């Protein structure tokens, strides 16, 4: 039986979009890069080399300075090297959402403890750009419609890794939460969806309340 990490690595490594995307929109597909493949093999071997059941935390889609570079959700090259202790040759550029998530990870006991309990992914495991800027899957209705089947199949595959379906933690209290809720109404993926303010929103607009948001995350993640 394949480990959680083996299944996850295979899933991310084979990701592709078959449909023709709306004009100007490009995919972020870092797994084509051999350095990304190496880093992810090390990551999943180090933190997911078991058959434990984990809780899912689900974001929007990878961004061009985090998972769009490293292939690891909410992990920029800096945190990949500094916190996960996985050396890499990526440009050491920091990313706001990654910094918040790793503050939460540190507060919960560090990466070994955190990743033994949680698995972070995204509604669309593939990221997108438009005019060299990040694009959320829901910001273009044509794109969202085209991705619907891909998203459903991606979730179904990831649930087979060993996911606790009692609750899923949704990063984003607005459009992302609405979309996941609508999907869940149709497919009953989870018993409960728990919305959390998105890390990017917190770091960009609520920085003065950072510690309060970290405490809130800790409370929610430990209670549900």
């Amino acid at each position: 039986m394949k480990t959680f990490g083996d299944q996850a690595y295979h899933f991310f490594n084979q990701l592709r979009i078959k449909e023709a995307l709306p004009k100007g929109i490009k995919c972020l597909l870092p797994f084509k890069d051999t350095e990304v493949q190496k880093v992810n093999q090390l990551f999943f071997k180090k933190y997911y080399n078991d058959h434990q059941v984990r809780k899912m935390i689900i974001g929007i889609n990878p961004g061009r300075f985090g998972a769009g570079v490293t292939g690891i959700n909410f992990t920029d090259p800096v945190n990949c090297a500094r916190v996960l202790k996985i050396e890499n040759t990526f440009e050491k550029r920091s990313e706001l959402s990654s910094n918040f998530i790793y503050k939460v990870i540190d507060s919960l006991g560090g990466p070994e403890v955190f990743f033994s309990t949680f698995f972070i992914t995204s509604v669309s495991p593939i990221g997108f750009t438009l005019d060299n800027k990040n694009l959320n899957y829901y910001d273009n209705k044509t794109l969202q419609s085209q991705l619907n089947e891909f998203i459903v199949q991606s979730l179904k595959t990831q649930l087979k890794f060993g996911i606790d379906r009692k609750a899923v933690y949704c990063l984003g209290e607005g459009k992302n939460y609405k979309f996941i809720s609508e999907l869940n109404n149709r497919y009953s993926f989870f018993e409960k969806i728990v919305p959390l303010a998105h890390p990017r929103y917190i770091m960009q607009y609520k920085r003065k309340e950072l510690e309060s948001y970290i405490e809130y995350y800790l409370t929610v993640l430990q209670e549900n």
Side-chain angles (χ1 to χ4, degrees), residues 27-136:
C27 287
L28 289 170
L29 282 172
F31 271 93
K32 291 181 177 180
D33 184 79
T34 54
E35 179 72 359
V36 173
Q37 293 172 10
K38 182 196 78 173
V39 164
N40 278 261
Q41 282 181 325
L42 291 171
F43 171 70
F44 285 115
K45 186 75 171 178
K46 186 173 184 178
Y47 296 107
Y48 290 91
N49 190 32
D50 55 51
H51 298 94
Q52 291 178 211
V53 173
R54 290 171 169 85
K55 300 175 182 179
M56 180 182 279
I57 299 173
I58 189 163
I60 300 169
N61 44 245
R64 59 200 177 102
F65 299 129
V69 176
T70 65
I72 304 172
N73 282 290
F74 287 93
T75 301
D76 62 26
V78 176
N79 284 314
C80 185
R82 181 178 61 84
V83 183
L84 301 184
K85 308 301 181 186
I86 298 175
E87 294 302 322
N88 60 81
T89 60
F90 308 128
E91 179 185 354
K92 296 303 183 288
R93 182 166 184 168
S94 185
E95 198 254 356
L96 287 177
S97 293
S98 179
N99 287 339
F100 178 82
I101 288 296
Y102 275 88
K103 288 180 185 296
V104 172
I105 288 173
D106 181 63
S107 298
L108 281 170
E112 287 82 5
V113 174
F114 180 84
F115 292 122
S116 70
T117 303
F118 297 101
F119 170 65
I120 307 179
T121 186
S122 299
V123 170
S124 172
I126 290 179
F128 306 95
T129 61
L130 178 64
D131 298 329
N132 293 317
K133 296 180 180 179
N134 287 331
L135 180 73
N136 296 326

Side-chain angles (χ1 to χ4, degrees), residues 165-178:
R165 297 196 185 200
K166 292 178 182 176
V168 64
Y169 305 93
C170 172
L171 303 185
E173 299 171 302
K175 294 178 180 178
N176 202 39
Y177 176 61
K178 179 182 177 182

